[in-house]
Amino acid sequence: DNKKKQSGSTFQYDAFISYNAQDEPWVMEELIPKLEGEQSWRLCLHHRDFEPGRPIIDNIVDGIYSSRKTICLITKNYLKSNWCSSEVQVASFRLFDEQKDVLILVFLEDIPTHQLSPYHRMRKLVKKRTYLRWPKPGEDTKIFWQKLKLALEAKEGHKSDPLIP
């Protein structure tokens, strides 16, 4: 509740990045150079920005609520992780609680719908929202990065607003 009150228009980060540690090479090699390096976005990354010695769940909640958006990098590893599950739950709660477009789902690999079945909340989000898919090897990534930039720039409108125009 006290997060809601603090949720003014000033944010410490542009985006909280929710990902599985096994997908960290993609975060380090693709995401950070593109978003922080080329586009000067300020990202909240648990390996770098979480406060040591503090309960992880507190770091997660603070990271999500002090960021304009949350980007969930969905992989099979992500779906198996309890911490990733907690992050997407907190981000989903904020989405429904604030009625603002604060969540961006990025699928780094193909995941059949039946594998999302145990993750009811995520399956509902995927059905209702636009999400981004990382291109297959050999495909051009320019359009992906343009769409992600648009999603990050989008104002936190009402949750029924489309993520990407």
Side-chain angles (χ1 to χ4, degrees):
D1 280 349
N2 61 354
K3 290 288 162 220
K4 280 191 275 182
K5 295 175 188 103
Q6 169 234 27
S7 171
S9 56
T10 56
F11 290 97
Q12 192 176 351
Y13 304 100
D14 292 301
F16 175 86
I17 309 300
S18 173
Y19 66 95
N20 182 285
Q22 291 179 323
D23 302 313
E24 193 164 87
W26 188 87
V27 171
M28 302 301 281
E29 294 160 22
E30 298 283 347
L31 191 75
I32 293 174
K34 193 61 135 183
L35 296 187
E36 285 194 335
E38 289 178 28
Q39 298 178 10
S40 301
W41 296 104
R42 178 89 174 97
L43 305 178
C44 180
L45 301 155
H46 48 73
H47 74 272
R48 174 184 78 191
D49 299 311
F50 277 13
E51 193 179 310
R54 203 155 174 247
I56 293 175
I57 195 67
D58 291 350
N59 274 317
I60 290 170
V61 170
D62 285 351
I64 288 172
Y65 277 87
S66 62
S67 301
R68 283 188 315 103
K69 307 264 184 170
T70 295
I71 300 174
C72 296
L73 304 176
I74 314 296
T75 61
K76 291 176 183 95
N77 292 328
Y78 187 95
L79 295 177
K80 292 177 196 162
S81 163
N82 289 332
W83 288 118
C84 293
S85 175
S86 297
E87 290 172 356
V88 81
Q89 282 177 23
V90 172
S92 299
F93 176 79
R94 179 178 176 205
L95 172 77
F96 296 121
D97 183 45
E98 295 182 6
Q99 301 284 297
K100 289 180 180 171
D101 197 2
V102 293
L103 183 59
I104 302 167
L105 299 177
V106 174
F107 283 79
L108 294 182
E109 56 190 23
D110 287 331
I111 297 177
T113 312
H114 73 272
Q115 285 190 355
L116 289 177
S117 296
Y119 308 90
H120 278 323
R121 192 175 273 125
M122 190 178 300
R123 202 164 115 209
K124 282 183 190 166
L125 287 169
V126 168
K127 282 182 182 173
K128 284 184 189 172
R129 312 183 68 68
T130 306
Y131 57 89
L132 302 176
R133 186 177 297 285
W134 178 246
K136 294 183 180 353
E139 291 179 356
D140 193 1
T141 59
K142 270 190 215 119
I143 291 170
F144 170 85
W145 292 117
Q146 286 171 347
K147 287 182 177 180
L148 185 55
K149 183 176 187 268
L150 282 173
L152 276 167
E153 288 171 347
K155 294 288 174 245
E156 295 82 18
H158 189 272
K159 74 172 182 182
S160 64
D161 290 347
L163 178 65
I164 299 168

